[in-house]
Amino acid sequence: MPANTTAPSGSSAAKKTGRKKGRRARLFVIVLVLALVAGVGYGAYWSVDTVRASYPQTTGSIELKGLSGDVEVRRDSYGIPQIYADTDSDLFRAQGFVQAQDRFWEMDVRRHMTSGRLSEMFGSGQVDTDAFLRTLGWRKVAQEEYDTVLDESTKKNLQAYTEGVNAYLDGKDGKDLSVEYAALGLTNDYKPAKWDPVDSVAWLKAMAWDLRGNMQDEIDRSLMTSRLSETQIKELYPDYPFEKNRPIVDQGAVSPVTGTFDPEAEPSDSIGAETPQGATEGLNTQLSALSDTLDEIPALLGPNGNGIGSNSWVVSGKYTATGNALLANDPHLAPQLPSLWYQMGLHCRQVSATCQYDTAGYTFSGMPGVIIGHNQDIAWGFTNLGADVTDLFLEKVSDDGYRYDGKTEPFVTREETIKVAGGKDRKIIIRETNNGPLVSDRSAELEKVGRKAPVTESAPDRGDGYAVALKWTALDPGKSMDAVFELNRAKDFKTFRKAASHFEVPSQNLIYADTDGNIGYQAPGKIPVRLKGDGTTPSPGWSSKYGWEEEPIPFDELPYEYNPERGYIVTANQAVIGDDYTHMLTKDWGYGTRSQRINDLIQKKIDDGEMISTDDMQTMQMDSQSTIAAKLVPMLKNISVSDKSVRETQKLLEGWDFVQDSDSAAAAYFNGVWRHILLLAFGNKLPKEMRAKGDCIYVEPADSTGPVDEQDKLVRECGQRAPDAAQPDGGDRWSQVVLNILDDQDNEWWKAPAVGREEAIDSRDELFARAMEDARWELTAKLGKDITTWSWGRLHRLTLRNQTLGTDGPDILQRALNRGPWDLGGGEAAVNATGWNAAGGYGVIWVPSMRMVVNVGDWDKSRWINLTGASGHAFSAHYTDQTDKWVEGELLDWSFGEDAVKQSTTDTLTLRKP
């Protein structure tokens, strides 16, 4: 029986295409065959059978080497598998086999990325990326974890998973695995190698890199010094607004008696982290090369910290219509095709000492276990904690080594060989200091990075410049892989916290609920304690006064909550705890716009005496209200404008409820105005290294010592950063910047010089009027003169791109492999967090990568959705079969119990013991 779908209250039903999935899949197959023949076929003949050869077998039976008994794989109408086995080894062996069936191309690309071996698949264009990844040493650290740190039971599960993947690969050519291999084979003789357990472990390093904290802010603060004063930079990085946006944990402290975190303890004085001396202002603009390099590395993963967030919250049963806890989660990541997540159930037919798992949720292809989900006793969710776990260090280097406390210390070096498809091998030398690898070695520009960085008199001679080292907690072996299995087996809050204590990187907010009615939260992670400084700017690597203490913040001192009196817990990348907490977790929190909106929605239900339902949780996930619009629109409506066309669009804001629906003309216009407010007030004053490519303006020279009145003394500067990473990005940090100066009509940020025919701007209202005019003409160019046809969704579009050939392959192949566009509602700082970059445009660059609402204890009434579908095969019926429903805010019924799974099963495959 097909799985049911449920739309949130107030949501329109998904539009029907009128075409059956099978017919659509056949058409896609034909398109691909034509694309391959015409675009990259070089005269080769491609048949439909070639495309279909990699489709997985989902019915009947297959012998699987190594099994101790038969395993059943039951798939529903969306291709989501539920696996039933009698031992742990059989369960994870089958998981490896099934994930390889659906997603091996994705798995293979991921492991090549994490090991710095993309050039083996895609040629010389990936050498620089590989060199940088080899320098970071993800694969090397993962190997150390596997060899020396991970629990034996974890390694057995990894080995079983590996055997399942390799059983699927056995005897298959590339074209038998996915159509991408068939296309790649036209230009490359690449053959997939066997899977290795360390391939799975290394993927956690990639996720840690994606969620590494404030490195980009550290770089940006440094770049800003070429244009802005220390005071101005501080204004662009305001303090967290604790007075209006609640942190996750609003009470408790590290007890002076026990030395552990106590939710009932009173906080002490603020820690008052000291800003480092000697590198407090920027590196020179060559640091932008490091920024560019960092932006390139996770192109297969998503954006680099900017915008990455998530929502999760849990409500106690005393406030729910079900009487059980309800838990919601939607992690925000870059849109990918296939989705980062793979839905799956892992069931022991009888839970025992030899078969310990009965869990379901969202997995990573290429890694055993469930990352986010529930078992029969507890449910859990993740959001990015945002802890500052990276620091950049300036290093004084020579051929002999690096300077440290007045002495020259030798580098730790290693040589790596990068194999290049269709080209010669490349050899690189990786140098490391006591502060980590020299990331500046990977760029010719960065060889002299730090040439203009202000330093104290005690700093070593600058010479040809300083190098840059990266210190990062994920470059030390850890036990995060152990934590995955421990979470899957956890029975209560005690075992949940024990699992969390091993979840070292990436540092995540973990929320919890159990069948006994308890709810909780834990902040885990390997978070450094700095000897000096606050991690907001690069530090001097030549002094032992800086760096990190040997041990990170003890887990027992990290904040947690258990059954808080308010009856709910919200995490959405806001501050974890007040600024009087003993330790510094970061100086760069999200600013709490989304989290406070969720808090307000829940609290209003409680205050009104309404019990919160599963539908309510789902509706909250789709909330698209713009908080900044609620503040600015009353002002914008009162701005005096002379242009008739601008007055026409100004009227769109009258009566608008600040909800950013996809069909809203008012949302389109407001977001256009917001974009231009940011560009006029801030963007045009930032250095070119931070502005979007193609954004060219006339500015004073960077070394100007005074105002320039004549235009012929201005210089034309064009932005250098990718549009989806440029500043000001329009996130809630920028909302807070604007709110801090909103009542100051004559603040310097509102002023701009006259350029060309544009008159000077001298006040807030003048800038708002100019922004309204600029938005009117930009949207006219994009959407047409008739404002009755305008809609936010026409500007704010999502296109799903195949993560390799769909981004860098021939155009005709990209058109065949990619899907979309879809018109979306939501916005950058809305709960329905469909992110866009105000500096670069309106297109969607990050999204809720999945959504789930878990009905704790009554598991079969839970709901879930993925961004795309279960399959990574481009023309499978399950490639993007969940996307239309995801767009409309619908969720699928989530079967967990055996009877419910049987009822929803459409295909059953038996994996048999040989």
Side-chain angles (χ1 to χ4, degrees), residues 699-743:
V699 297
E700 298 176 23
D703 58 356
S704 173
T705 57
V708 177
D709 295 324
E710 301 85 0
Q711 183 175 336
D712 60 2
K713 292 185 180 180
L714 300 179
V715 296
R716 187 171 185 264
E717 281 190 353
C718 295
Q720 297 180 349
R721 187 169 288 181
D724 62 358
Q727 293 293 336
D729 61 21
D732 60 357
R733 172 166 71 88
W734 291 100
S735 297
Q736 189 60 43
V737 170
V738 169
L739 292 174
N740 285 351
I741 63 172
L742 192 58
D743 294 332

Side-chain angles (χ1 to χ4, degrees), residues 282-326:
L283 309 179
N284 62 6
T285 55
Q286 289 176 338
L287 190 56
S288 66
L290 175 58
S291 177
D292 293 343
T293 302
L294 299 179
D295 284 343
E296 290 297 322
I297 300 313
L300 301 176
L301 300 178
N304 303 314
N306 289 332
I308 287 188
S310 301
N311 301 322
S312 71
W313 65 94
V314 60
V315 181
S316 168
K318 67 180 178 180
Y319 292 127
T320 68
T322 66
N324 300 318
L326 294 174

Side-chain angles (χ1 to χ4, degrees), residues 299 456 529 532 565 568 576 669 781 879:
T456 62
V529 178
K532 188 175 183 180
E565 186 176 348
Y568 59 91
V576 167
Y669 182 57
Y879 191 44

Side-chain angles (χ1 to χ4, degrees), residues 84 93 118 418 445 474 500 502 516 576 716 819 866 894:
Y84 290 83
R93 186 174 285 106
L118 288 169
I418 299 173
E445 287 183 282
H502 292 147
D516 291 331
V576 167
R716 187 171 185 264
R819 300 290 180 270
N866 205 347
W894 180 354

